[in-house]
Amino acid sequence: MNEEQIIRSRIKDLAERAYKQNAYTFSNFMTPAMLGIVDELRQELSYVGYSIFGGNENCERQIVCFGNEEMFGYPPTFPISIIKVEPLIEKFSDALNHRDFLGTIMNLGIERDVVGDILVKDNKRAYIFCLDSISDYILESLTKIKHTTVMCSLISSQEELSELAPTLKDISLIVSAPRFDAIVAGVAKLSRNEAASLFKAKKVTLNGRLCEKNSTILKENDIFSIRGFGKYKYLSSGGETRKGRMYIYLQQYI
């Protein structure tokens, strides 16, 4: 079987197990492309139902839970821990990016699918979404990133969770048409042909799902990501220049 067939088989197995055992089953963290396969199987999974969550509403990598409260009589609890990683002594910290945090975690021998999103703040600290089953290992083993000694702690309080709210920056573009590829070209500073190639290379997601249709017309509050270029929220379009080009208003996740 190819990779997609394996994913489809795994999804169906988890759904069937939830139905037969009368208990929730959970996938590991899935990429937007994998979640797209779940969407394609929606009708086949209707007998058991499912929900999706990644730790907060802005996560792209998410876990699929098979089953629902109507079937089992109680709501599901997703097996997700959030770990805060920060410098032990901030003034001696390196500037740290997503690749630094992810690379160090992978070097601990951890599989990618047990770790969800990694939210980096201020180039100093990060919040790591992971399966409960791997959280203790990360807490004990993640002690240094590059040359920076770090400390890890579990996030639990509402005050700490509020730190996960995204920082958004207002931006505007002038595009030739309100199509998705024109907007991608504008934010990435590419030609329309180069932007179209990003869709073909499966580097563009829309509302957490892989999007290959570059002619899509975005709706208010649609959220999209371009691998290597960032994450954005579409707000609106309005007004035209003298040459008939259109103003587009967005927010960029910082």
Side-chain angles (χ1 to χ4, degrees):
M1 291 192 293
N2 61 32
E3 183 178 0
E4 181 174 331
Q5 289 172 326
I6 292 171
I7 294 169
R8 287 175 177 271
S9 177
R10 176 62 174 162
I11 291 167
K12 292 177 181 179
D13 285 346
L14 287 170
E16 186 174 358
R17 191 193 313 165
Y19 183 76
K20 289 183 175 180
Q21 297 180 356
N22 200 38
Y24 291 109
T25 59
F26 299 89
S27 71
N28 286 355
F29 286 96
M30 290 189 168
T31 66
M34 294 175 180
L35 293 169
I37 295 174
V38 177
D39 285 344
E40 291 175 7
L41 294 172
R42 182 181 298 273
Q43 290 299 320
E44 292 184 53
L45 302 176
S46 60
Y47 71 97
V48 66
Y50 66 88
S51 56
I52 298 173
F53 187 55
N56 77 15
E57 62 180 9
N58 296 305
C59 288
E60 289 195 346
R61 289 177 176 265
Q62 300 185 69
I63 288 173
V64 183
C65 167
F66 295 95
N68 55 51
E69 187 173 0
E70 183 180 349
M71 290 178 64
F72 303 145
Y74 62 97
T77 300
F78 281 77
I80 299 173
S81 294
I82 306 173
I83 298 175
K84 182 179 182 179
V85 185
E86 56 189 332
L88 187 61
I89 305 175
E90 186 164 330
K91 68 177 181 179
F92 296 134
S93 172
D94 295 312
L96 303 173
N97 58 35
H98 184 276
R99 182 177 296 179
D100 296 325
F101 286 98
L102 179 58
T104 301
I105 291 169
M106 297 297 97
N107 286 337
L108 295 175
I110 295 172
E111 295 294 331
R112 184 65 181 95
D113 66 353
V114 302
V115 177
D117 282 20
I118 300 173
L119 305 182
V120 180
K121 298 286 187 177
D122 306 322
N123 290 322
K124 296 285 186 180
R125 57 189 55 80
Y127 296 87
I128 300 170
F129 296 82
C130 67
L131 293 183
D132 289 341
S133 59
I134 201 68
S135 62
D136 284 345
Y137 179 67
I138 294 176
L139 288 167
E140 294 172 3
S141 304
L142 186 56
T143 58
K144 196 168 189 177
I145 301 175
K146 294 174 70 174
H147 303 294
T148 301
T149 301
V150 298
M151 56 183 177
C152 300
S153 57
L154 276 178
I155 295 296
S156 57
S157 71
Q158 288 301 313
E159 181 179 349
E160 289 177 302
L161 288 173
S162 67
E163 296 183 36
L164 301 179
T167 301
L168 300 173
K169 175 185 176 183
D170 290 330
I171 61 174
S172 61
L173 305 171
I174 297 175
V175 299
S176 57
R179 290 165 42 116
F180 199 2
D181 54 0
I183 295 171
V184 167
V187 297
K189 295 180 172 56
L190 300 171
S191 69
R192 285 279 289 274
N193 286 338
E194 289 172 327
S197 70
L198 293 176
F199 287 86
K200 293 177 182 177
K202 301 183 178 181
K203 293 185 177 182
V204 180
T205 63
L206 177 61
N207 297 324
R209 302 292 184 272
L210 187 68
C211 181
E212 297 181 74
K213 188 177 179 181
N214 60 308
S215 61
T216 298
I217 303 298
L218 299 186
K219 303 183 298 297
E220 182 180 350
N221 293 324
D222 275 346
I223 295 173
F224 64 94
S225 294
I226 313 164
R227 193 187 309 167
F229 296 96
K231 183 176 180 180
Y232 303 84
K233 176 186 283 189
Y234 175 82
L235 299 179
S236 64
S237 62
E240 291 186 357
T241 68
R242 292 180 179 179
K243 295 183 178 181
R245 293 165 64 84
M246 181 171 291
Y247 289 98
I248 300 292
Y249 302 97
L250 309 165
Q251 288 180 316
Q252 182 178 9
Y253 287 75
I254 305 300

